[in-house]
Amino acid sequence: MFENLTAKLQEVFKRLSGKGRLSEQDVDTALREVRLALLEADVNFRVVKDFVSRVRERAVGADVMKSLSPAQMVIKIVNEELIATLGEPRKLVLSGPPPQVIMLAGLQGSGKTTSAAKLARLLRQSGQRPLLVAADTRRPAAITQLEVLGQQLDVAVYSEGDKVPPPRICANAVARARKGGYSVVLLDTGGRLHIDDEMMGELEEIVRQVSPSEILLVVDAMTGQDAVRAAEAFNQRVPLTGLVLTKIDGDARGGAALSIRAVTGVPIMYLGVGEKNDALEVYHPDRLASRILGMGDMLTLIERAEATFDQEQAQRMEQKLRTASLDLEDFLEQLQQIRQMGPLEQLFDMVPGLGSMKSQLADEMSEHKMRHAEAIIRSMTPEERRNPRIIGGSRKRRIARGSGTTVAEVNELLNQFRQMQRLIKQMSSGRGPAGLLGRLRL
Ligand SMILES: Nc1nc2c(ncn2[C@@H]2O[C@H](COP(=O)(O)OP(=O)(O)OP(=O)(O)O)[C@@H](O)[C@H]2O)c(=O)[nH]1
Ligand SMILES: [Mg+2]
């Protein structure tokens, strides 16, 4: 979906990266091109304007990090602002007493029925017992469509044919779910070609009858700004809690995906990425942004790491990690490398498996602590660095004095180092986070 936009943005970045220093004019020229690329991708013009001005403000005032070229710095800012524009993710809330009700609404053909089935599948995977409800009585084949999907997925489908009014069907379905021990009820409502009063009235009545905890609007991302307008109109009548953007796999220009959150204020929650039952992804703004920029999550990390790591040193490190013979000299080198790579938090985000350890790591590796660690290691003799076991009480006192720290801090560092060694041993024996080493290419 984002091919064109991605190609355009990459061209802009490529031109920037040819330059050693960026003047304000370079930034302006680049941003003009970014602006055009976004407008061509059918992004809402107000969203574009706001986006560009945020990037400009940050790019002009930015402290360029030592390890990043000015062009990389611009990419970094564009990426972060893109993520901000795409908006925070929100998880489905199903914490109330069962059954929890999720209503799916949307224009005709937007992908409600398909998404309801995909969502049922995801929910079942996470341990829920879903019940799909055929609440679209207008289109003759709609009920059969849902029943077929239910059969494929082995998920129960509740229907009462097409003579009972949908709000009634929904209320009955919830009662059935309660008796039958279903934990989640998914309402597949009927769509219309355009927003009309009858459809909205029906949705409002369903909301009144069964008070869904989630009201998800399913929007076809292929329809561009129409999708955004439709979402605004829906949101005025029923309180939407989230968006499902479908057909992200299509070849439309992507503007809807980029504008809809900013324009409507409703968070994107899922992305439909294909016709198959498993083609529903939980939305992650950072992943979507990197897809738009054409950079894999890891790509940025590797690029930055490669820029600062010299190849030879990297190979040496790799060898050491494999044989788990890392010493404090290497530890120091690592600390310096990491500091050159930019904000740590962001770095952690990019390494799969580190996410959960992030806050702990970030705390342990705050700039302040890193500076102390460096000072401590610098105060050691080469022999002590190679063989920390020889560091006893008097050596610790000497090191603490030399580095302007305390014995407790020296101890802490030595402990951390031992922990790291242990972790590395685990990883190199294949018990650690899968593939971490390979991905990091240390
Ligand atoms: N490529 C692709 N196709 C999708 C996606 N989601 C839905 N579709 C297709 O879009 C068409 C319409 O999907 P439905 O789920 O029937 O849409 P609906 O909103 O229920 O339509 P009505 O009930 O008629 O209002 C079907 O052919 C789906 O296979 C998606 O994420 N990617
Ligand atoms: Mg349908």
Side-chain angles (χ1 to χ4, degrees), residues 292-361:
I292 293 169
L293 288 180
M295 303 188 230
D297 292 6
M298 289 305 295
L299 218 84
T300 334
L301 171 66
I302 288 169
E303 270 171 9
R304 283 206 238 161
E306 278 178 348
T308 43
F309 265 75
D310 93 45
Q311 208 52 40
E312 215 172 285
Q313 187 186 18
Q315 274 165 10
R316 204 157 41 77
M317 258 323 158
E318 185 179 54
Q319 181 59 27
K320 292 207 171 198
L321 283 172
R322 282 199 201 298
T323 55
S325 63
L326 203 77
D327 63 22
L328 276 162
E329 297 256 14
D330 307 311
F331 194 44
L332 178 62
E333 215 170 75
Q334 287 294 296
L335 286 180
Q336 287 162 343
Q337 293 290 355
I338 289 171
R339 282 184 59 178
Q340 278 171 29
M341 270 193 258
L344 286 169
E345 297 246 342
Q346 216 187 324
L347 204 69
F348 296 149
D349 279 339
M350 288 186 276
V351 185
L354 279 193
S356 56
M357 308 200 293
K358 183 171 138 182
S359 60
Q360 190 198 342
L361 277 171

Side-chain angles (χ1 to χ4, degrees), residues 13-31:
F13 296 142
K14 208 157 115 199
R15 268 198 293 279
L16 276 185
S17 65
K19 304 181 187 262
R21 287 183 65 93
L22 296 187
S23 64
E24 204 167 321
Q25 202 195 337
D26 292 330
V27 173
D28 276 343
T29 312
L31 287 181

Side-chain angles (χ1 to χ4, degrees), residues 106-116 118 136 139 142 145 149 188-192 218 220 245-250 271-276 279-280:
L107 290 178
Q108 193 170 310
S110 58
K112 293 175 296 297
T113 306
T114 315
S115 300
K118 290 171 172 177
D136 178 3
R139 196 162 58 81
Q145 186 193 358
L149 288 168
D188 176 32
T189 63
R192 306 283 194 281
V218 180
D220 178 344
L245 284 189
T246 62
K247 308 182 198 178
I248 291 286
D249 53 311
L271 303 178
V273 293
E275 298 197 48
K276 295 221 177 74
L280 188 72

